[in-house]
Each structure stands twice: as structure tokens, then as C-alpha cells.
Amino acid sequence: SSSLTSFSSTISSSVASSVSVSVVSALSCNATPLSGCSLGSSLLPLAKIASGGELSRVMLALKTIFAQTDPVQTLIFDEIDTGISGKTSRKVGMKLKEIGKSSQVICVTHSAQIASLADSHFLISKSDVSGSTETHVDILDYNGRIAELSRILGGIDITASQREAAMDMLKEKDVYLQN
């Protein structure tokens, strides 16, 4: 007879709210992560109460913790910015930057706060060519980064203020590198 081990741990992160994860067995896939996303709320299955963005940030918190004990070479985050903006996006970007010190991080994002912290910035675009969709991936130089960050910040008509904000975000990145 196999013996099932059970434990519960609490994960706290500046990115995610406190999450209680109950693991039934290392060999079992029957674990149900529980979360109380608001102060005073009862624990409910995370999959039932969390948005896609919240689930992405919980994964970021878990991968941050696991990377410290079981490092992996590459971590991929697809649209981890869903449902967040501003200060929260910047904090997520800083956490990704921290993980990037020990692992390669690939992040698909629509957030200037996150993209501006990257060491390398790629622009992925699609175009219609003779009735087929072609995907293009281009690495951006400094001027390309300014243009893309400005577009993300502002949309269709790019202003001098948006370009200035994009440049400020890249300068701020250098401050994080020093810390």
C-alpha cells in the first residue's frame, strides 16, 4: 500500500496574494490549490475564483520559489500582464528581472512596464501575405524599443510625451540593474 504524504504551505509574494497550496502526493495529480484572494475570505479552489492574470501571477510566485531550489534554464510567461497595469505591472517586471538573474526568461507581454525591463526586446508581428498569415520576429535596437514602448503606451498617434515616457522607463531599468 502506498502512503500518501500531505502538507500545506503558504506562499507570500509581492506579486500574488497569500496562497495556500495543499499537495496530496508527489505522485498524485489530485492536488487542489486553495486561495483566499481577499482579507477575511474563506479558502476556495483557486481555479474557480482567480482570473487568468491572477493565475499567471500565482505561477510567477511559484516559479520564483521553485527556481531557488530546482533551477530551470528557461521560464516562459505568456501574457502575465493580463488584468494588471501601472505599478503592479512594474512589480511583475521586477520579479521577472530577478528570476532572469538565474534563468532565461521569455515573456510575451503588452505592458510597457514589463517590456522596458527586458535585456532583449523582440517585436512579434503578423501580416497577411497572399491569403496566408506570416509571423515576423524582429529584435529591437534602442530606437526600436523607444518606438515600440511608445506605441504600447499611446496607441495610434505617438506623441513626444509618450516617447519621453518610454525613454524614462528604459533609464529606470538601468537603476534596477545597479541594485
Side-chain angles (χ1 to χ4, degrees), residues 90 112-113 115-117 142 145-147 149-150 153 160-176:
R90 199 58 160 181
Q113 290 85 356
S116 64
L117 292 172
Y142 180 79
R145 291 187 79 179
I146 296 296
L149 292 171
S150 299
L153 288 168
S161 297
Q162 290 156 342
R163 289 184 57 75
E164 200 171 305
M167 287 186 273
D168 286 346
M169 293 175 108
L170 289 175
K171 286 178 195 169
E172 189 178 66
K173 169 190 170 255
D174 294 334
V175 172
Y176 295 131

Side-chain angles (χ1 to χ4, degrees), residues 117-139:
L117 292 172
D119 293 328
S120 298
H121 190 157
F122 295 85
L123 174 63
I124 302 171
S125 60
K126 294 182 181 182
S127 61
D128 180 28
V129 179
S130 301
S132 294
T133 301
E134 286 190 5
T135 302
H136 306 275
V137 179
D138 298 299
I139 189 161

Side-chain angles (χ1 to χ4, degrees), residues 4 6 19 21 28 36 39 52 60 65 76 79 90 92 101 105 108 110-111 114 117 128 135 142 154-157 179:
L4 295 178
S6 178
V19 176
V21 179
S28 170
L39 287 176
L60 174 60
I65 292 167
I76 300 172
E79 300 194 21
R90 199 58 160 181
V92 167
K101 291 177 183 177
V105 174
V108 177
H110 300 279
S111 166
I114 294 173
L117 292 172
D128 180 28
T135 302
Y142 180 79
I156 297 169
D157 297 318
N179 294 331

